[in-house]
Amino acid sequence: MASYIGRRLIVNVGVFFVITIAIFSLVHIAPGDPVQMMIPPDQFNASTEAFIEAQRHRLGLDQPLPIQYLSWLGNALQGDLGYSISTSRPVGELLLERAVPTVELMGLALFLSIVIAVPLGLLAAVHRNRVLDYIISTFSMVAISTPPFFFGIIAIYVVSLKLGLLPSAGMASPSDGSTVDLLRHLILPVSILGIGGSGPLIRYVRSSALNEINSEYVRTAVAKGASPMRVIGVHVLRNAMIPIVTVVALSLPGLLAGAVLIEQIFAWPGMGQLAVTAVARKDYPVIIGFAVLVSLLVLAANLLADILYTVVDPRVSLR
């Protein structure tokens, strides 16, 4: 396995450099000028152009794109992602302070998705082509096909505005900063993101469980007098979870994409909200830093999925 991981890391390094080139190029060739966007339209005058050129020179934006990229790459390899154009703060510092809320949101949502998907997927497989299977499959398809922002808006209107049960935005109330208050703010965004993520997982669990239910070892266990609960809860579940582990690992990038939307809807101060604000302001360093972080997550998730597959299934070897 060590040699396989080493080869994958080498390949991932090459892929990462290609991704950084693509990200850097696409961000810089997009229409708009971050320096111009810092100046209100009603304040443009004869001296404004000179100020813009001076600022572009200070930021290095007047240099050829390959030179800008090599300068950024050299700094990034030393852990320096540059400074935000709009706030003048280090990009790494901005991403780090926004990472904790995003990790909280994603981690709890992923846990909720698994808690929902595993029992419902098993129930759908056990009651295949029956009423319960149709109900669970319908729920799964609704969760897959309905955009998270739609669920979010409905939840805010009903739960927060009409019933007044939970807060609709932010991470904490102005007059409160307790753990209970944080949990109350987490309930809605985590529920929306978790239910949305459970949809495809239910389908995978159902399909995997159906394959195991029809296996020889299940029929043997039943013939030896094992109870249905033991057959499903021990034998089927353990083997059905083997491919699900890789699916969960590969779902992390998609979960982050969903978190970006949820953070905007619920004003959650995470990396997604930071990225959207940076795009609106054409803040090149922040956009690039966020995109690079996401690309690293995708590469790491793919490698983690391969490794976990061998851990949960000893029959598989990586060479």
Side-chain angles (χ1 to χ4, degrees):
M1 181 186 293
S3 62
Y4 172 82
I5 295 175
R7 292 196 304 271
R8 281 293 300 272
L9 288 175
I10 293 173
V11 172
N12 284 350
V13 168
V15 172
F16 175 73
F17 279 116
V18 173
I19 291 174
T20 59
I21 293 173
I23 291 171
F24 198 89
S25 302
L26 290 173
V27 168
H28 280 77
I29 65 177
D33 188 326
V35 179
Q36 289 185 358
M37 296 187 70
M38 296 169 60
I39 304 173
D42 58 345
Q43 295 184 14
F44 273 87
N45 51 50
S47 62
T48 302
E49 289 296 332
F51 172 79
I52 291 175
E53 290 302 320
Q55 291 298 312
R56 287 179 57 83
H57 178 73
R58 181 180 66 84
L59 296 170
L61 297 176
D62 57 344
Q63 297 179 354
L65 195 58
I67 301 299
Q68 293 186 50
Y69 171 75
L70 291 176
S71 176
W72 173 86
L73 181 62
N75 293 329
L77 292 177
Q78 300 178 49
D80 180 9
L81 295 175
Y83 289 81
S84 167
I85 295 176
S86 58
T87 65
S88 299
R89 293 183 60 193
V91 173
E93 181 181 300
L94 286 172
L95 291 175
L96 185 61
E97 72 179 25
R98 295 296 190 100
V100 174
T102 298
V103 169
E104 288 179 351
L105 181 61
M106 289 178 56
L108 291 173
L110 181 60
F111 176 75
L112 180 61
S113 296
I114 295 172
V115 168
I116 293 174
V118 171
L120 290 185
L122 288 175
L123 283 173
V126 172
H127 299 276
R128 181 184 182 185
N129 296 332
R130 299 178 189 172
V131 175
L132 186 58
D133 181 24
Y134 294 142
I135 293 174
I136 295 174
S137 296
T138 301
F139 168 79
S140 172
M141 294 306 298
V142 170
I144 293 172
S145 58
T146 306
F149 71 84
F150 179 78
F151 277 138
I153 293 172
I154 296 298
I156 289 175
Y157 179 76
V158 175
V159 179
S160 298
L161 298 182
K162 289 296 183 181
L163 301 179
L165 298 177
L166 294 170
S168 62
M171 195 173 177
S173 301
S175 59
D176 194 354
S178 64
T179 302
V180 174
D181 184 56
L182 172 61
L183 292 176
R184 293 184 72 249
H185 282 80
L186 274 167
I187 290 175
L188 279 183
V190 167
S191 299
I192 300 302
L193 194 57
I195 291 173
S198 70
L201 282 181
I202 290 174
R203 306 298 296 173
Y204 282 116
V205 173
R206 178 184 182 276
S207 176
S208 183
L210 283 175
N211 290 334
E212 298 301 325
I213 288 175
N214 296 322
S215 300
E216 288 287 343
Y217 74 88
V218 172
R219 288 194 287 269
T220 301
V222 173
K224 288 183 177 181
S227 65
M229 184 67 70
R230 177 175 177 79
V231 171
I232 298 299
V234 177
H235 301 289
V236 172
L237 176 60
R238 182 166 58 184
N239 289 282
M241 290 304 294
I242 291 174
I244 303 304
V245 170
T246 59
V247 172
V248 170
L250 293 174
S251 69
L252 293 178
L255 190 64
L256 178 58
V260 172
L261 289 174
I262 294 299
E263 287 179 2
Q264 284 297 111
I265 295 171
F266 291 96
W268 189 258
M271 291 192 299
Q273 190 182 62
L274 175 67
V276 172
T277 303
V279 170
R281 297 176 178 177
K282 298 289 291 182
D283 198 337
Y284 292 160
V286 176
I287 299 172
I288 294 171
F290 176 77
V292 167
L293 188 62
V294 172
S295 66
L296 284 174
L297 176 62
V298 173
L299 294 174
N302 279 273
L303 181 59
L304 179 64
D306 288 342
I307 296 173
L308 288 178
Y309 199 87
T310 62
V311 172
V312 297
D313 191 353
R315 297 170 298 179
V316 178
S317 61
L318 300 178
R319 297 178 180 176

